Amino acid sequence: MKQSIYLFLILGLISMSCSNKESNPFLVEWNTPFQTPPFDKIKTEHYVPAFKEGIKIHNKEIENIVKNPEAPTFKNTIEALDYSGKILTRVRRVYVGMNDAMTNEQFQKISKEISELRSSHEDDINLNAKLFERVKSVYDNKENFHLNKEQQMLLDRYYKQFVRGGANLNDADKETFRQLNKDISLLSIKFGENVQKDINNYELVIENKDDLDGLPQGVIDAAAVTAKEKGKEGKWVFTIQKSSMIPFLQYAKNRKLREQIYYAYTHKGDNNNEQDNKKILAQMASLRLKRANLLGYKTHADFVLDKEMAKESKNVYGLLDKVWPPALKIAKKEREEMQKIIYKEGNKFKLASWDWWYYAEKLKKQKYDLDEEQLRPYFKLENVIQGVFDLATNLFDMHFVERFDIPKYHPDVKTFEVKDKEGNHIAILYTDYFPRASKRGGAWMDAFTKQSKEDGKFIHPVIYNVGNFTKPTAHTPSLLSVDEVETLFHEFGHAIHGMLSNCTYESISGTETPRDFVEFPSQVMENWAMHPDVLKKYAKHFKTGEIIPKELIDKISNSSKWNQGFATVEYLAASYLDMAWHTLTDTTLQDSNKFETKTMNELGLIPEIVPRYRSTYFNHIFSGEYSSGYYSYIWSEVLDADAFAAFVESGNVYNKELASKYKKYILSSGGTDDAMTLYRKFRGKDPSIEPLLERRGLK
Ligand SMILES: [Zn+2]
């Protein structure tokens, strides 16, 4: 209770001291339902002043911790740190959400200033010698404080944060460190903006109906909607957003146009124009290495992995190297099968990277008599959402009620209250599922408020899921592809992880786990998405309401290993690329394309497959926070495949007993214990890699 009163007092002081601040919605109390962000009041001009004020207040709080005349204790130092910076956290969380989903030129302008403010504030804390002295004192004397496991984890987290943040450096090195952080964060923003610009600038405009040959009606309609939005009514426009491009690659007979759109996609940030990212990313790799060296690490990857489950590069390579050879072998087989189709159709050309989706689709039809478009009618967005909600109800007793009184930042957004079976409030969930120019590509989850407890008061989480799924057209609702359904379940898994969190400290609650663990609760949901017992419940025809026929379910199951060689190789190639950039030991600027080609050649990647992300648009590692971390998905997949195997082995994918164990040890525990320990508590054994190899058909 104390902390909230304190927060209220601060807010009171702010609003009394300056009338200008009174009108800044970040600096006054939120009287919205469940204290959700007042999006109806927040404007772009509010962010910078709110950041500045938030930093000022946070600095004051830190000063109070440092000046505390009492000897450092867990409570007056570590816990106090975790409870500090509330206003700053509040504005930061909304800012991060809007920067990804509602950006525009005006927003991009402030984002540079905010990035500098944030990075220098972080440095001010991490490089605050007196503060570190107190943290270190608690760390060195930890046995005196009788800490429980959660408190030990929090202490470790802060101690590491300081050491990794340069606290042990001498003054000159601290200055260098600070400058490196600043440079890296600015380059990273520029990188992301460049990718976004290239996505927004490209359009494939089709005027001649013949060029639409092969495309399903739904895809054509969607392209007509996009054309209309772009002021080109009567034509058809495809973009290099995946939801627009992939169906084009799958079905368009016009090979030249497939090549054109795929070229644009694979050359984002690599057009030698002002949006070019080659030099930017090479600089980032070099600066990251310098920073790692300064902290005593041999490479940036070693620096990053030190706090993950994998711990060292060799363990990452250990896993990648196990999966790569069988995956490449299968991919080559897939290539052969597709080449046969090309010859059989009387063509002489060799399969190219832009042909892969088109012929893979044909192969699927030939082998499994399955056409992706046959499935879409059963995956109306609203039905899929209902499906994932029902799954959460069945497994974890979560109940969803749409709310219409919570302010939204865009009309596409929906808001839900999540309750337990007794009707008690658990969380708020926002969903925002359609692409728009102001939104970055991909799909993600994050929080406007993270779960925590303060002096006995439970702070409920406010979570959001964002995606770029197929939009409705004039004739049809939003009908998802299988890939999109899996993505929706995936992000929803992250959301559940955030919503069911039951931890004390915000910094280690919910999804604040090692990064190579965090994809486990999300990926495991994908298993349920396509399981026959689950499909039967939610996959209903959007027109007739007919449940997906058994024949189609069988086809989905039979084809589950289709194209897995490609999917695995495409993903692993990007993981190797990430590791290659970040295990460099030489700070000389690399020629980005040469480096990439060399890395891929050494790996033996076949030219018909392009890494899932090429360097120049690898947002995860150059503009997001996944540097030396793209491997995390397969690392977590070992866990998710092994975990789901437990449900399957039990003969019931809705096994309540397993689900409640899973909820207790994985979903509610955040980062309050060692990740492997938590896993063992749930599973009763170490994870095995076999279920993963089996699932991908690599055995
Ligand atoms: Zn994820």
Side-chain angles (χ1 to χ4, degrees):
M1 216 54 193
K2 203 168 60 204
Q3 289 300 327
S4 345
I5 292 169
Y6 182 46
L7 173 67
F8 183 69
L9 278 177
I10 293 170
L11 291 170
L13 285 174
I14 294 166
S15 43
M16 272 186 291
S17 67
C18 179
S19 64
N20 194 17
K21 286 169 191 159
E22 208 172 322
S23 58
N24 191 320
F26 288 113
L27 304 178
V28 294
E29 212 191 343
W30 288 352
N31 292 316
T32 45
F34 309 100
Q35 302 209 307
T36 45
F39 286 114
D40 49 342
K41 300 199 175 74
I42 296 171
K43 297 197 173 69
T44 308
E45 64 261 30
H46 292 138
Y47 289 93
V48 174
F51 263 104
K52 286 184 176 162
E53 192 61 28
I55 288 171
K56 214 160 107 190
I57 296 165
H58 197 201
N59 283 338
K60 186 88 197 115
E61 290 168 324
I62 286 176
E63 205 185 307
N64 289 341
I65 297 174
V66 171
K67 282 193 177 154
N68 191 334
E70 289 168 29
T73 63
F74 178 80
K75 203 167 174 55
N76 73 19
T77 303
I78 305 298
E79 202 174 83
L81 258 178
D82 208 58
Y83 288 152
S84 72
K86 290 272 183 265
I87 306 265
L88 183 58
T89 304
R90 164 197 267 194
V91 51
R92 175 174 55 84
R93 293 201 170 282
V94 175
Y95 165 79
V96 167
M98 296 306 99
N99 193 35
D100 283 339
M102 285 296 282
T103 187
N104 53 35
E105 260 179 48
Q106 203 194 353
F107 209 93
Q108 285 183 0
K109 266 187 208 136
I110 64 160
S111 74
K112 281 193 193 69
E113 187 176 355
I114 289 172
S115 158
E116 283 189 47
L117 284 171
R118 284 177 66 186
S119 136
S120 88
H121 180 59
E122 250 170 57
D123 287 341
D124 283 343
I125 295 173
N126 291 335
L127 302 174
N128 182 328
K130 285 192 176 135
L131 182 61
F132 179 57
E133 223 172 83
R134 286 186 75 96
V135 172
K136 191 169 181 308
S137 157
V138 179
Y139 187 81
D140 289 343
N141 299 297
K142 53 183 155 194
E143 42 301 316
N144 298 344
F145 302 110
H146 310 289
L147 305 176
N148 63 29
K149 185 70 201 175
E150 186 172 6
Q151 292 169 326
Q152 288 171 35
M153 292 296 285
L154 187 73
L155 173 59
D156 263 15
R157 190 202 162 281
Y158 273 104
Y159 181 72
K160 272 194 186 158
Q161 177 196 308
F162 278 94
V163 173
R164 297 166 62 82
N168 273 332
L169 298 175
N170 66 37
D171 285 349
D173 284 350
K174 274 183 181 167
E175 243 351 276
T176 314
F177 184 80
R178 201 183 264 273
Q179 190 59 43
L180 285 168
N181 281 341
K182 199 171 149 189
D183 294 347
I184 293 168
S185 91
L186 285 176
L187 286 169
S188 143
I189 290 186
K190 185 84 187 124
F191 184 97
E193 282 174 10
N194 286 345
V195 174
Q196 195 61 30
K197 273 186 199 151
D198 271 359
I199 293 177
N200 290 343
N201 285 348
Y202 179 83
E203 43 188 54
L204 173 64
V205 184
I206 293 184
E207 300 183 22
N208 181 352
K209 252 190 157 161
D210 293 346
D211 290 335
L212 299 168
D213 249 14
L215 294 170
Q217 194 56 43
V219 174
I220 296 175
D221 291 346
V225 172
T226 310
K228 196 174 166 191
E229 280 170 4
K230 291 181 174 263
K232 298 192 165 79
E233 198 162 359
K235 297 175 186 172
W236 298 270
V237 170
F238 290 87
T239 69
I240 44 178
Q241 295 269 12
K242 275 198 161 177
S243 61
S244 177
M245 178 192 70
I246 297 288
F248 192 85
L249 291 176
Q250 281 172 314
Y251 299 108
K253 280 191 183 156
N254 190 323
R255 188 167 185 245
K256 267 257 138 336
L257 292 180
R258 291 203 308 264
E259 180 178 1
Q260 217 182 87
I261 197 167
Y262 195 56
Y263 182 91
Y265 178 79
T266 53
H267 284 74
K268 296 190 295 273
D270 183 18
N271 292 305
N272 301 316
N273 55 14
E274 55 179 24
Q275 276 109 256
D276 200 277
N277 272 337
K278 292 195 281 288
K279 209 165 157 204
I280 292 179
L281 72 95
Q283 280 172 325
M284 285 181 75
S286 167
L287 295 174
R288 281 171 171 170
L289 173 58
K290 280 184 192 156
R291 184 174 60 183
N293 289 162
L294 204 57
L295 293 173
Y297 293 93
K298 208 172 137 222
T299 68
H300 177 70
D302 289 325
F303 164 65
V304 170
L305 296 171
D306 194 29
K307 63 176 171 43
E308 310 299 347
M309 280 180 91
K311 300 281 182 268
E312 289 176 61
S313 314
K314 75 170 189 334
N315 295 329
V316 173
Y317 280 116
L319 175 61
L320 298 181
D321 291 348
K322 247 184 232 163
V323 191
W324 177 259
L328 188 62
K329 202 173 127 197
I330 305 278
K332 284 179 179 168
K333 215 176 119 206
E334 290 165 359
R335 173 178 68 176
E336 232 172 81
E337 290 177 312
M338 290 190 280
Q339 190 63 53
K340 270 189 204 148
I341 300 181
I342 293 174
Y343 290 149
K344 220 169 131 193
E345 288 180 344
N347 290 307
K348 292 201 165 59
F349 62 83
K350 281 199 71 184
L351 182 88
S353 56
W354 55 89
D355 296 319
W356 196 289
W357 283 265
Y358 186 74
Y359 289 99
E361 204 52 39
K362 287 199 171 198
L363 192 62
K364 181 156 76 172
K365 207 160 182 184
Q366 195 182 75
K367 265 184 137 167
Y368 310 103
D369 188 27
L370 180 64
D371 174 356
E372 168 96 359
E373 290 306 305
Q374 282 174 289
L375 299 175
R376 273 193 200 259
Y378 295 95
F379 295 129
K380 182 169 107 169
L381 176 69
E382 289 74 10
N383 290 345
V384 175
I385 293 171
Q386 195 54 51
V388 83
F389 282 180
D390 288 345
L391 180 64
T393 309
N394 276 318
L395 292 172
F396 312 122
D397 292 321
M398 301 170 84
H399 299 264
F400 299 79
V401 186
E402 184 163 5
R403 300 280 304 215
F404 299 94
D405 55 345
I406 294 173
K408 298 168 182 180
Y409 56 85
H410 189 276
D412 284 351
V413 175
K414 287 187 180 200
T415 50
F416 299 88
E417 184 186 0
V418 187
K419 299 180 186 189
D420 67 15
K421 65 175 170 208
E422 280 91 29
N424 300 312
H425 178 77
I426 299 179
I428 293 295
L429 173 70
Y430 294 62
T431 61
D432 173 8
Y433 285 140
F434 300 126
R436 53 177 175 263
S438 59
K439 199 192 267 188
R440 72 169 166 90
W444 58 95
M445 162 275 181
D446 209 335
F448 291 128
T449 306
K450 296 205 78 130
Q451 184 274 328
S452 65
K453 292 172 203 164
E454 278 180 32
D455 296 319
K457 187 171 182 271
F458 197 99
I459 314 287
H460 291 276
V462 178
I463 304 291
Y464 55 89
N465 265 172
V466 183
N468 281 283
F469 300 130
T470 303
K471 282 203 225 184
T473 69
H475 313 291
T476 51
S478 160
L479 300 175
L480 306 189
S481 67
V482 170
D483 200 42
E484 289 177 323
V485 174
E486 287 173 343
T487 302
L488 191 146
F489 271 69
H490 175 110
E491 296 309 330
F492 194 78
H494 284 308
I496 292 180
H497 196 187
M499 291 190 282
L500 290 181
S501 175
N502 185 4
C503 309
T504 309
Y505 304 109
E506 185 173 333
S507 315
I508 50 170
S509 84
T511 52
E512 298 290 339
T513 67
R515 203 179 39 193
D516 43 12
F517 181 78
V518 83
E519 295 301 331
F520 160 37
S522 52
Q523 288 179 175
V524 78
M525 295 295 287
E526 296 177 39
N527 295 282
W528 273 285
M530 287 299 136
H531 193 278
D533 296 352
V534 185
L535 281 170
K536 269 184 240 161
K537 292 193 186 227
Y538 77 87
K540 295 177 189 153
H541 198 283
F542 79 98
K543 272 189 189 151
T544 62
E546 167 219 17
I547 292 187
I548 189 166
K550 186 176 175 304
E551 178 211 345
L552 271 184
I553 293 186
D554 288 346
K555 284 182 187 178
I556 295 176
S557 306
N558 293 339
S559 65
S560 69
K561 294 184 177 69
W562 160 81
N563 212 29
Q564 278 299 307
F566 170 83
T568 311
V569 163
E570 181 200 46
Y571 162 78
L572 290 177
S575 305
Y576 278 111
L577 186 56
D578 169 27
M579 289 303 287
W581 279 113
H582 296 117
T583 46
L584 279 171
T585 50
D586 177 359
T587 57
T588 316
L589 284 193
Q590 300 291 325
D591 176 319
S592 170
N593 282 352
K594 263 193 199 151
F595 180 81
E596 182 176 304
T597 308
K598 186 172 155 272
T599 309
M600 292 302 111
N601 286 345
E602 282 168 6
L603 205 52
L605 177 68
I606 53 177
E608 294 82 1
I609 298 180
V610 178
R612 181 144 201 190
Y613 298 98
R614 289 194 51 233
S615 308
T616 52
Y617 53 94
F618 208 156
N619 270 336
H620 285 82
I621 67 167
F622 291 118
S623 103
E625 288 170 359
Y626 267 66
S627 61
S628 336
Y630 197 61
Y631 77 90
S632 302
Y633 295 93
I634 200 132
W635 188 277
S636 293
E637 195 180 332
V638 174
L639 303 180
D640 93 62
D642 187 67
F644 193 69
F647 284 88
V648 174
E649 283 158 19
S650 83
N652 176 13
V653 293
Y654 294 105
N655 187 320
K656 222 29 205 245
E657 200 190 317
L658 272 173
S660 75
K661 260 184 157 176
Y662 177 71
K663 178 176 169 181
K664 182 175 173 194
Y665 294 117
I666 307 294
L667 295 176
S668 302
S669 295
T672 57
D673 203 343
D674 169 67
M676 196 49 99
T677 308
L678 288 172
Y679 188 82
R680 283 192 201 107
K681 280 185 179 165
F682 152 64
R683 189 65 163 102
K685 69 173 190 70
D686 278 0
S688 141
I689 192 180
E690 297 304 308
L692 174 141
L693 296 176
E694 174 87 36
R695 171 207 290 178
R696 288 187 175 245
L698 305 177
K699 274 182 74 176

